[in-house]
Amino acid sequence: MKGPLAKTAILLVGMYVFLKFILPLFTAPLPASLIFLYLALTFASAMIFYTMSGGGLDEFMGPVGRFLTGSGQAGIAGTARILVFVLFPLLVGWQAYTRLAPSDMPPAENRTIHPAPPGEFVGLANPYPTTPENIMMGKGLYAAFCSPCHGANFDGKGPAAVGFNPPPANFSDPGTIAQLQESYLFWRIKKGGVGLPVEAMPWKSAMPRWEVELPDEWIWKIIMGEYDGAGQSPRTWEEEE
Amino acid sequence: MGYKKIFNVALGLTLMVTGVWASCVLASDPPPEGETGSVAVRLVLTEGAVPADDPNAAVWNTIAPAEFKLAPQVHWPDRIQEVTVKSVKVRGMHNGQDLAILLEYADPSEDAADAAAVEFMVGDKMAHFAHGQEMLQVEGGDVNIWYWKKEHGKATDMTAKGFKTLRPQENQDVSATGAWQDGTWRVVFSRPLQTADELDVQVTPGEWRNVAFAFWDGEIVDGAVKEKGSQKAVSSWWYLRAEPPPDNSIYGYVVLGIVLAAGFEFFLVRKIRRGNES
């Protein structure tokens, strides 16, 4: 384990353990492609270092050459050499197969769940005061128009929810309306699924375009009822600053 | 030394057999299942005629169904809050010329106004699953709807692009037959994979198409049909694909890859040995 190649191998393993397991303890995990890039840079650096520091390429790559040619090998090393020679072509064949075989998987769908709203819906404030009466009216309207899909418990589990893909939003989940402003909900309720931009796949959404059936006042009060019923608060401009 | 050689050869052969076995097992994985059911209908490639007019043909039972949950149509008035048909099992096959799709679903009573429909996006433009209705930020395309009603006893090949635009096509290319037994409808739709009509979905083996389903319970309740028009059970868009014919040329490329890799090894070792000798 004194040759330059062995030292480089140990360095690479240490580097991998550090990048993969130790670094994520302090910061976000690195993507595999970045780890690969760092390891490649480490290997290249080591190769440059050893070949420039007198030993030459032969000393660095010598063990690889001896392994591949099988010179002076016996026992485990010999078996490992046969293994590599058998596995490498099989791996190439497997790669060729997986690249060429027809896929039985439907196209991947990268649907954006909360796309950017149109400009005219950004920053609108609810024009109705948050009074018990308005909240109660909002909850009543919610029960009549929204609960069949979004659920009486605001959990997205209404009796009509089961057949839809994407499923109706679960307002009690802190990842939905709690992350959004009231103006965003106003846009989504008013324009419905067909109002979504292309990245949100409007052709799949069953959300009605409520502007053709409900006045704006009802929509604002439904928003109030939704937040209150789901136990969430709208995201406000102050929090963003 | 002889034993070592035999051991190495045996090890190599074992690895090779294991690799081939693993690739066969992995390649035959079934299509992925969604959380609430299937995500795609596979039209199985078959030889000979497809059972176009026979919902009860024995061959249907040899195909694993895809199952899709259904919801009341709530997207547009007149909406409905509860529907009879809760889910549908879909099987499909094709022979390179014609396709047949079998819909199997529970409906307690056989009624004249019972109906079923299959909907497809047509062409490259995305269309909303509710009759291809207008989208505000995306230019949508047409939908092609194959509609079957018990009292008509046949299919109607239709086109829509938005509500109130649904109309029968001039070229009727679809046929359908339904059979009700013991609370279950089995309805088979059939059509050539390809037609000359640009309003039709064109089914090309190997390519994915978007498909959705709708059902009406035609039972008479208090003198009126229970579900009609926009009051129906619907599904979202799912996927459909006609199985492509097996492409054996892939295995040729696999063998070529293995031979090239082995050749690379051979020349690499030879080059290193020659380098060492000199």
Side-chain angles (χ1 to χ4, degrees), chain A residues 69 83 85 88-89 92 94 97 100 103-106 109 148 160 164-165 194-195 202-208 213, chain B residues 15 23 27 42 71 74-75 77 79 81 126-129 136-137 208 236-239 241 253 257-258 265 269 273:
Chain A
T69 52
L83 263 179
F85 280 157
F88 176 67
V92 171
W94 169 246
Y97 180 81
L100 293 170
S103 168
D104 211 13
M105 303 274 277
E109 288 188 350
F164 291 120
N165 172 40
V194 293
W203 49 88
K204 302 188 84 155
S205 172
M207 175 76 181
E213 296 177 69
Chain B
L15 281 168
S23 60
R42 183 197 295 187
V74 294
H75 187 68
R79 52 179 65 84
Q81 304 281 335
M126 307 309 281
H128 195 276
F129 77 86
L136 306 179
Q137 299 195 53
W208 293 98
S236 300
W237 283 126
W238 298 104
Y239 289 100
R241 191 180 75 144
Y253 287 110
I258 291 173
E265 287 176 340
V269 170
R273 275 186 182 150

Side-chain angles (χ1 to χ4, degrees), chain B residues 38-132:
Chain B
S38 308
V39 294
V41 177
R42 183 197 295 187
L43 302 186
V44 177
L45 179 61
T46 182
E47 289 180 1
V50 296
D53 302 315
D54 187 0
N56 291 315
V59 67
W60 286 119
N61 299 326
T62 64
I63 297 174
E67 185 159 11
F68 304 100
K69 303 268 190 239
L70 302 166
Q73 191 291 115
V74 294
H75 187 68
W76 201 258
D78 297 325
R79 52 179 65 84
I80 188 170
Q81 304 281 335
E82 201 179 350
V83 283
T84 301
V85 185
K86 302 282 196 280
S87 73
V88 58
K89 286 181 181 165
V90 186
R91 295 172 172 88
M93 61 175 79
H94 79 101
N95 59 9
Q97 295 293 319
D98 300 303
L99 66 86
I101 297 174
L102 176 74
L103 310 181
E104 181 181 340
Y105 59 96
D107 178 352
S109 61
E110 182 183 17
D111 307 290
D114 282 347
V118 190
E119 177 184 56
F120 298 92
M121 285 191 204
V122 178
D124 295 331
K125 285 185 184 152
M126 307 309 281
H128 195 276
F129 77 86
H131 281 202

Side-chain angles (χ1 to χ4, degrees), chain B residues 3 39 210 230 238 260:
Chain B
Y3 285 116
V39 294
N210 290 279
S230 62
W238 298 104
L260 283 176

Side-chain angles (χ1 to χ4, degrees), chain A residues 98-223:
Chain A
T98 51
R99 299 247 167 162
L100 293 170
S103 168
D104 211 13
M105 303 274 277
E109 288 188 350
N110 294 316
R111 185 176 153 268
T112 304
I113 295 172
H114 294 143
E120 67 261 36
F121 287 94
V122 176
L124 294 179
N126 195 329
Y128 299 92
T130 314
T131 61
E133 294 76 28
N134 283 343
I135 290 173
M136 191 179 288
M137 182 176 170
K139 283 184 175 171
L141 293 166
Y142 175 90
F145 297 105
C146 316
S147 71
C149 295
H150 292 284
N153 298 322
F154 303 87
D155 56 3
K157 291 185 177 147
V162 69
F164 291 120
N165 172 40
N170 170 4
F171 301 136
S172 60
D173 178 340
T176 61
I177 56 174
Q179 298 292 322
L180 302 167
Q181 297 173 352
E182 283 181 286
S183 57
Y184 194 96
L185 271 69
F186 185 68
W187 166 54
R188 293 290 287 108
I189 298 171
K190 197 172 162 78
K191 299 294 179 183
V194 293
L196 290 165
V198 66
E199 64 269 24
M201 302 187 170
W203 49 88
K204 302 188 84 155
S205 172
M207 175 76 181
R209 184 181 172 183
W210 286 111
E211 67 176 347
V212 298
E213 296 177 69
L214 306 181
D216 285 0
E217 181 191 341
W218 288 18
I219 296 177
W220 283 119
K221 288 180 178 172
I222 285 171
I223 294 169

Side-chain angles (χ1 to χ4, degrees), chain B residues 52-53 146 148 154-156 172-177 188-191:
Chain B
D53 302 315
W146 303 354
W148 166 89
K154 65 180 177 72
T156 310
Q172 291 293 313
D173 301 297
V174 183
S175 63
T177 309
V188 61
F189 288 89
S190 62
R191 209 202 68 172

